Amino acid sequence: MDFASDFLIIGSGIAGLSFALKAATLGTVTLVTKKSRIDSATNLAQGGIAAVLAADDSFEMHIQDTLRAGAGICNQDIVRLVVENGPDRLKELMALGVAFNQKEQGATLDLTREGGHSARRIAHAFDLTGHEIERCLLASAASNPRITIFENHCAVDLLLASKAGLADPGEGDSCLGAYVLDSMSGAIHTFQAKTTVLCTGGCGKVYLYTTNPDIATGDGVAMAYRAGAKVANLEFVQFHPTCLFDPKAKNFLISEAVRGEGGRLINKAGQPFMAKYDSRGDLATRDTVARAIDNELKTSGDDSVFLDITHKPADFVKTRFPNIYQTCLVYGIDITRQPIPVVPAAHYMCGGVLTDAMGRSSIPNLYAFGETACTGLHGGNRLASNSLLEAVVFAHQSFRQCQNDWPRLHAQSQPKVPQWDPGQAARIKECVLITHNWDQIRRLMWNYVGIVRSEKRLSLVQARLAPIVKEVDQHYQDYLLTPDLVELRNIATMADLIVSSARLRKESRGLHYIVDYPRQNDEEWRKYTVLRQGEDPEFLPVD
Ligand code: SIN
């Protein structure tokens, strides 16, 4: 079946929904999401959204904190753009009904602090900020007659003018929408659009342990790469220092705001250890804290370290962190009386589809934002709570660009595109083919491409991944598509891209720490690593 609209958005988190609400003022919007609309990383975000709101804060301070965290490779113009837009975008969210915590009813916002921030600047809704934002955005989208949401619809690949035989000679390629799998019926539909937007979130599921929801399989980046878009900085995978360590818990995050409110990291013997690693102690940036914990665990042989907030009044802890308090209680930990066992886990992809300041990718009519994009804001390491901010700012930037292009877009007719051709594909009879590859990739990435890397392990993993990637590609040809097969193909692509990018960067910087090159080498490496299918890697200077 064919569906057509002015805008196709893939993903239902803060980035996709914020853009949908704005784009609907121009034309018709179709939003596809592969599970239910609430299944997004946004919905799980605990910490908050950073913006300069306090009298003792300034744009310059937020900019400097972001640049310092980004380890010398942030795009300074983008950092300024995002930071200076923060207060306006936050007001828009509040106007939609997002209830951030206030100091007292009707008074100023209650701002919290996280690692790497020199001021309190994080607006939050208890420890359920993302859930509150998602609730409001979904409610607004649901009541908008120009927005149609397709749940259980999993994007497979982008529809390109070249593949459809519709590219004008000499004009280059452009994106015409996407092929999308209806997970319930198994049918693959064409979703055509004048503008396609990738907001599929991150790729934490490439790793065995992650704070991400199950949907985080790098779909947007993998699809964009296969379509010929440039992707950048994929070696910079952020590991969150504090994920609950409990065999029964499924990767539950303990927000950095716990440290922002005074929580301390301690070892099994009860000794604090962060001061040994950084003068900012427990509030150092995430790359430093995750590496410190990794070192403590490797040295001691212990299973976890601990996050201790027992010195704070129990009532404060229960009120400020109701979600964390209740969830830990389920696993038998009363955080007002006991330290919380924690370990690092894959959390955020700082690289992604390379975009400009308006959210445009290198393929015309294809945009990317949110965790799917590499806008230049995060550089080598994302500052905590800058990601929800980046998503709303780039949703706005992209909307402004579409508004500008609207007379041309509006006048365009949509060409007839070919239907999905399943070839000789048959129904898969042995799903173990998928689950086995899935497990292999995630284990390899965890053990070989984690917080601390080495040339030896990177070269071994590249050799081991190659046949798996080939095998998965063969499954993709041989079998009728299922959501599991689509996701497997995407994590295989992402694993391969992360390893290729990590092998290119011959230095340690931000989140990419490699024992063979322990120093940051600014003379040679203040660059982005850029990959494009079928081409040699490109190294893009930062300034
Ligand atoms: C957290 O609450 O620690 C996560 C916030 C973020 O990743 O920015």
Side-chain angles (χ1 to χ4, degrees):
M1 207 187 300
D2 282 343
F3 297 91
S5 53
D6 293 310
F7 299 93
L8 171 64
I9 300 167
I10 305 174
S12 60
I14 184 172
L17 289 168
S18 301
F19 180 78
L21 293 173
K22 293 181 183 221
T25 61
L26 298 173
T28 53
V29 177
T30 299
L31 188 149
V32 298
T33 185
K34 65 182 177 179
K35 294 223 165 120
S36 83
R37 60 190 72 194
I38 199 92
D39 288 315
S40 65
T42 302
N43 195 45
L44 296 188
Q46 295 182 0
I49 176 160
V52 174
L53 300 160
D56 61 352
D57 197 4
S58 70
F59 288 149
E60 224 40 58
M61 283 163 72
H62 190 181
I63 289 169
Q64 288 311 319
D65 290 347
T66 303
L67 295 175
R68 205 170 307 121
I73 55 165
C74 298
N75 177 321
Q76 302 208 18
D77 294 339
I78 296 292
V79 173
R80 182 167 293 281
L81 170 91
V82 172
V83 166
E84 291 184 353
N85 264 275
D88 284 349
R89 302 287 78 80
L90 208 83
K91 277 183 206 138
E92 275 177 0
L93 288 174
M94 289 162 73
L96 285 173
V98 176
F100 292 113
N101 282 30
Q102 298 179 342
K103 283 202 173 126
E104 344 156 335
Q105 200 57 34
T108 49
L109 292 180
D110 174 42
L111 302 172
T112 192
R113 198 168 167 185
E114 292 182 19
H117 287 275
S118 57
R120 285 189 168 260
R121 65 167 71 98
I122 294 150
H124 65 98
F126 299 99
D127 54 356
L128 288 158
T129 312
H131 181 71
E132 171 62 8
I133 294 175
E134 189 77 7
R135 177 190 73 74
C136 280
L137 293 175
L138 278 174
S140 302
S143 63
N144 191 315
R146 276 183 158 176
I147 301 176
T148 311
I149 301 183
F150 288 80
E151 296 183 306
N152 301 307
H153 276 65
C154 173
V156 175
D157 261 323
L158 294 168
L159 245 163
L160 294 174
S162 58
K163 299 263 165 62
L166 294 165
D168 289 331
E171 286 250 315
D173 215 344
S174 68
C175 183
L176 303 176
Y179 289 112
V180 178
L181 167 68
D182 175 345
S183 310
M184 297 300 170
S185 70
I188 296 180
H189 304 300
T190 55
F191 278 74
Q192 261 190 275
K194 295 171 182 172
T195 299
T196 301
V197 184
L198 297 170
C199 304
T200 58
C203 63
K205 295 301 278 192
V206 168
Y207 286 89
L208 192 57
Y209 302 111
T210 175
T211 61
N212 290 182
D214 288 344
I215 51 110
T217 49
D219 305 345
V221 180
M223 282 191 288
Y225 177 76
R226 288 194 294 265
K230 290 185 180 184
V231 298
N233 288 357
L234 294 171
E235 65 274 34
F236 295 113
V237 179
Q238 185 169 72
F239 289 79
H240 197 292
T242 58
C243 181
L244 176 64
F245 176 74
D246 185 294
K248 293 186 284 329
K250 198 178 171 204
N251 305 332
F252 180 69
L253 178 74
I254 307 295
S255 175
E256 194 157 316
V258 174
R259 277 179 285 135
E261 296 297 349
R264 278 186 311 232
L265 284 162
I266 55 173
N267 61 19
K268 203 162 139 190
Q271 289 154 342
F273 56 83
M274 270 316 298
K276 264 190 329 208
Y277 295 91
D278 195 287
S279 57
R280 293 166 294 183
D282 291 294
L283 285 177
T285 48
R286 280 187 194 166
D287 51 343
T288 305
V289 182
R291 255 195 319 275
I293 295 177
D294 188 68
N295 190 51
E296 291 288 313
L297 295 179
K298 287 207 170 108
T299 317
S300 64
D302 293 340
D303 288 334
S304 76
V305 294
F306 297 83
L307 182 54
D308 185 12
I309 188 133
T310 55
H311 51 285
K312 287 282 187 181
D315 280 350
F316 166 77
V317 173
K318 288 184 202 170
T319 317
R320 174 63 185 83
F321 302 110
N323 177 36
I324 296 174
Y325 172 71
Q326 286 300 339
T327 307
C328 287
L329 219 46
V330 170
Y331 295 104
I333 306 153
D334 178 348
I335 68 169
T336 65
R337 294 146 58 98
Q338 293 160 269
I340 314 164
V342 290
V343 286
H347 182 61
Y348 192 89
M349 169 48 84
C350 291
V353 179
L354 187 63
T355 68
D356 65 10
M358 307 312 283
R360 291 176 292 198
S361 76
S362 52
I363 298 180
N365 303 334
L366 179 66
Y367 287 70
F369 38 88
E371 194 172 345
T372 308
C374 177
T375 65
L377 174 70
H378 307 310
N381 177 36
R382 177 180 65 99
L383 184 66
S385 287
N386 263 358
S387 46
L388 296 179
L389 174 65
E390 184 194 40
V392 282
V393 170
F394 273 87
H396 187 70
Q397 289 295 103
S398 304
F399 165 67
R400 282 181 47 217
Q401 184 63 46
C402 291
Q403 208 174 20
N404 205 43
D405 294 344
W406 187 242
R408 176 180 59 79
L409 288 171
H410 188 52
Q412 243 171 35
S413 59
Q414 294 192 339
K416 179 111 191 83
V417 296
Q419 299 285 315
W420 176 260
D421 176 7
Q424 301 303 310
R427 200 168 65 79
I428 190 162
K429 294 207 182 97
E430 296 179 301
C431 291
V432 67
L433 296 178
I434 293 177
T435 50
H436 182 75
N437 284 157
W438 175 262
D439 193 55
Q440 270 183 312
I441 294 170
R442 300 182 69 213
R443 226 167 257 284
L444 274 174
M445 291 300 285
W446 184 258
N447 289 329
Y448 285 67
V449 201
I451 299 169
V452 174
R453 298 161 180 182
S454 72
E455 280 281 23
K456 173 84 179 163
R457 278 184 285 130
L458 288 179
S459 71
L460 281 175
V461 76
Q462 197 160 40
R464 290 188 191 174
L465 273 175
I468 302 175
V469 171
K470 210 163 147 211
E471 197 172 303
V472 171
D473 225 47
Q474 195 58 48
H475 296 340
Y476 175 75
Q477 312 290 333
D478 292 347
Y479 300 118
L480 289 172
L481 295 185
T482 61
D484 288 350
L485 181 47
V486 172
E487 289 188 332
L488 172 66
R489 182 177 177 233
N490 289 338
I491 68 158
T493 304
M494 289 309 299
D496 202 30
L497 291 173
I498 292 169
V499 173
S500 301
S501 307
R503 290 211 72 191
L504 290 171
R505 189 171 286 280
K506 306 288 185 201
E507 63 154 359
S508 289
R509 180 185 296 274
L511 298 160
H512 175 69
Y513 186 82
I514 177 157
V515 291
D516 310 80
Y517 311 101
R519 305 255 168 279
Q520 186 168 306
N521 178 348
D522 280 338
E523 258 170 48
E524 283 182 51
W525 281 103
R526 286 197 64 240
K527 291 171 182 158
Y528 288 6
T529 49
V530 181
L531 301 177
R532 184 177 217 164
Q533 196 169 46
E535 290 184 6
D536 286 340
E538 193 187 332
F539 299 100
L540 204 66
V542 173
D543 316 303

